[in-house]
Amino acid sequence: MSSALPEFWRFSEELLELVGGKCKNCGKINFPQRRICTFCGAQDNFEKVRISRRGKVHTYVVAHALPSGVEAPTPLAVVDTDDGARLVGFVTECEPNEIKWEMPVEVVLRKVGEQDGRVNYGFKFRPIRFSRDVGK
Amino acid sequence: VNCGIAGCGVYLPLYRIKSSDVAKAWGGDLKSSYEKTVQCYDEDALTMGVEASLNALKNARFDGEELDVVYFATMSSPYIEKQCSSTLSVSLGCKDSVRSSDFNGSPRTCSSAMLGCFDAIRSSSARSALVVASDRLVARPGEPMEQLLGSGAAAFVLTSDETRLIARIEGSASYSTEFTDRWRSETESFPRSEIERFGRDYGYTRHVTMAVKRLLESRKLSPKDYSQAVFTEFDPRRPSAIAKSVGFSEDQISSGSLSQSTGDTGAASMFLSLSAALEKAKPGDRILAASYGDGGSDALDFTVTNGIQGKPSGEVEKYLKSKKMVDYQTHLRLNKVFDLLR
């Protein structure tokens, strides 16, 4: 049986740290990191950056058939972060009728699935709970 | 080497349930306004710990790369074999030379981990450290504990860099004996506890009182020298018993008392209360913090420094206010109780 373990290990920078590759040629962020820039085609010319934990919903679909470990129905969204990276993931703590285009969200670490008693961690989006400018 | 706290960060889950609603589901009639936190189904001690730690780094104006030590304290680790602290340190962007470790098995584990950090800093084997305590506690349905067990996390960035301190650690004292009042064996999903009065009087009250008295004696201080005192809270009435036996007033313990809104947050309890106390502190204030877990208590003495001025505050209050009430069935689902009963 195939295991997702090597896959989760390979992408741990993206899944746990939110590290993307910023193209030194065009300045855009590729997420996940890759060798050829999706935007300008430059090769092996990236700088690792930790991407913003704030963004807005670009588009979404409400998913009803999901792998074990994810409750259905759950919105699955494409989110553009404040620094221009584009991420795909589940939206947690959000009812299917609450999600909207352009809705501000924050990126949080959650359990994204379980396999053979092992927990897979990754990012999900969450409607912003309160202003982060604490104490101001 | 002088060392102390550079900043703190907390995390409480969005969902809450009234303790009276838990009682009602089992035919009880509880006259109290207590609430407890309920974590989302996709949260565990590690994910909550990461959120609190990221808040702590931001509030302390630290970067993960500056940390030499990362300690994770919990009694509800998602794994019995495999450490969470390595996943935590990667999530915080730490360098791979960071010393990371888990502290398990008791609500007292928060102070064990924090004192471990201070020892590492004092001995100059580390300059800065992060300690986080996080728990998601789930009781067997129908047990009295079900009305109280909650979830939460709190983290502290600790350093020897005096210019970045908000509070200095002045001393500590411990009291350890053989005592069992709450336990969970390796084959069980839910904690068990002993008759309440025995655990409360001979466990909690006696151990915390002894540790606090020892600390006061060694520091040549009295309760009135402190502006605030915080304790591990199993329920909202416990700290009052300590205050009475040691000599603190209700005013001194009120700002750190959170369990009427959060429930019992286990290892995170004393850290959450210490964070709440620091958010209300002024330079020069003394804060006493004491933990408890079966047969052990550590008491810590802090002095608030000028660095507290201009530091972010109000985070505890924001997390307390940001909430969504759920009913008993939803609470069972979010707690994944049916998986645990299998």
Side-chain angles (χ1 to χ4, degrees):
Chain A
M1 204 186 105
S2 76
S3 161
L5 207 51
E7 199 78 354
F8 275 92
W9 172 75
R10 200 164 287 127
F11 286 105
S12 58
E13 275 192 336
E14 278 85 354
L15 293 168
L16 303 176
E17 276 187 86
L18 284 183
V19 166
K22 186 172 184 174
C23 177
K24 287 184 191 165
N25 185 47
C26 73
K28 292 194 170 147
I29 297 174
N30 286 242
F31 189 91
Q33 302 175 77
R34 44 174 74 85
R35 289 189 61 192
I36 310 281
C37 176
T38 328
F39 304 98
C40 71
Q43 190 182 330
D44 294 326
N45 195 19
F46 290 99
E47 167 197 10
K48 280 180 198 281
V49 287
R50 214 175 304 156
I51 65 174
S52 165
R53 290 189 172 267
R54 287 280 181 123
K56 280 183 177 166
V57 172
H58 170 72
T59 190
Y60 65 91
V61 63
V62 176
H64 291 264
L66 292 163
S68 78
V70 189
E71 282 187 358
T74 284
L76 179 65
V78 176
V79 164
D80 290 332
T81 60
D82 292 348
D83 47 8
R86 179 162 282 187
L87 280 62
V88 183
F90 292 113
V91 188
T92 189
E93 294 171 13
C94 178
E95 298 300 323
N97 60 2
E98 286 170 351
I99 187 157
K100 301 272 184 300
W101 288 311
E102 300 292 308
M103 184 171 87
V105 290
E106 47 198 339
V107 189
V108 292
L109 182 81
R110 290 293 167 105
K111 297 195 280 186
V112 293
E114 281 166 61
Q115 190 185 11
D116 303 331
R118 192 185 71 242
V119 186
N120 292 326
Y121 294 98
F123 58 83
K124 286 192 184 183
F125 310 113
R126 171 180 70 198
I128 289 175
R129 270 179 78 171
F130 48 77
S131 154
R132 284 288 136 163
D133 299 316
V134 171
K136 278 182 193 157
Chain B
V1 181
N2 262 329
C3 61
I5 297 170
C8 54
V10 302
Y11 175 78
L12 292 173
L14 178 66
Y15 301 107
R16 310 292 149 85
I17 186 167
K18 287 188 177 127
S19 294
S20 57
D21 284 349
V22 177
K24 202 158 74 188
W26 292 90
D29 181 18
L30 184 70
K31 303 245 183 310
S32 91
S33 56
Y34 299 162
E35 288 174 13
K36 65 165 195 167
T37 46
V38 183
Q39 82 289 334
C40 190
Y41 79 95
D42 57 4
E43 290 183 291
D44 63 15
L46 174 61
T47 66
M48 293 191 296
V50 168
E51 285 220 37
S53 303
L54 289 171
N55 285 339
L57 287 173
K58 194 163 60 69
N59 294 338
R61 295 173 194 133
F62 261 72
D63 190 88
E65 283 183 11
E66 294 178 76
L67 302 172
D68 303 311
V69 171
V70 170
Y71 285 164
F72 179 72
T74 186
M75 48 178 187
S76 55
S77 175
Y79 291 104
I80 289 174
E81 180 175 339
K82 177 173 165 40
Q83 291 203 319
C84 289
S85 51
S86 49
T87 317
L88 172 71
S89 61
V90 169
S91 304
L92 303 182
C94 299
K95 52 197 183 223
D96 57 13
S97 59
V98 70
R99 186 198 302 165
S100 63
S101 190
D102 287 21
F103 287 66
N104 292 91
S106 162
R108 180 204 194 185
T109 195
C110 61
S111 55
S112 318
M114 185 183 249
L115 289 170
C117 288
F118 282 136
D119 286 346
I121 294 170
R122 278 204 203 95
S123 66
S124 300
S125 65
R127 184 157 167 82
S128 300
L130 180 137
V131 57
V132 55
S134 177
D135 257 326
R136 65 168 287 244
L137 303 180
V138 181
R140 180 177 288 281
E143 292 258 335
M145 256 196 279
E146 197 187 17
Q147 296 164 14
L148 286 167
L149 297 192
S151 301
F156 292 92
V157 177
L158 313 172
T159 184
S160 56
D161 183 349
E162 289 221 42
T163 60
R164 299 167 91 175
L165 292 185
I166 62 167
R168 215 170 29 244
I169 174 91
E170 306 281 13
S172 70
S174 300
Y175 181 70
S176 289
T177 71
E178 154 52 27
F179 195 84
T180 312
D181 57 357
R182 198 160 107 182
W183 65 94
R184 179 161 69 93
S185 72
E186 63 175 350
T187 54
E188 291 185 312
S189 302
F190 306 105
R192 295 174 187 267
S193 73
E194 186 48 85
I195 30 177
E196 202 197 326
R197 242 173 81 181
F198 171 63
R200 187 189 63 204
D201 296 348
Y202 291 90
Y204 186 88
T205 308
R206 173 182 287 196
H207 286 77
V208 179
T209 302
M210 286 299 290
V212 170
K213 283 191 169 161
R214 233 169 230 179
L215 178 73
L216 294 175
E217 223 173 86
S218 72
R219 302 281 311 139
K220 297 189 173 56
L221 293 166
S222 76
K224 63 176 188 328
D225 295 318
Y226 289 88
S227 28
Q228 299 179 74
V230 299
F231 310 100
T232 296
E233 296 175 52
F234 290 151
D235 65 62
R237 290 186 306 252
R238 295 278 179 110
S240 302
I242 304 297
K244 221 178 194 173
S245 83
V246 183
F248 290 111
S249 68
E250 285 294 322
D251 273 355
Q252 282 170 299
I253 63 165
S254 61
S255 57
S257 191
L258 303 173
S259 57
Q260 65 279 10
S261 316
T262 62
D264 175 0
T265 49
S269 171
M270 189 198 87
F271 274 16
L272 282 163
S273 296
L274 181 55
S275 307
L278 280 168
E279 289 193 346
K280 298 205 170 82
K282 301 182 301 298
D285 281 1
R286 270 184 187 283
I287 299 176
L288 184 142
S291 64
Y292 175 73
D294 310 65
S297 174
D298 302 311
L300 291 83
D301 177 24
F302 293 97
T303 306
V304 179
T305 69
N306 289 328
I308 196 95
Q309 288 166 321
K311 274 289 162 91
S313 74
E315 191 173 88
V316 176
E317 204 57 37
K318 285 197 176 187
Y319 272 106
L320 287 173
K321 281 187 184 147
S322 157
K323 61 178 179 180
K324 204 170 189 176
M325 300 306 295
V326 297
D327 58 18
Y328 184 72
Q329 290 91 325
T330 309
H331 145 268
L332 290 181
R333 176 172 62 83
L334 293 171
N335 267 336
K336 299 186 124 184
V337 169
F338 300 107
D339 289 359
L340 296 171
L341 283 168
R342 250 175 234 157

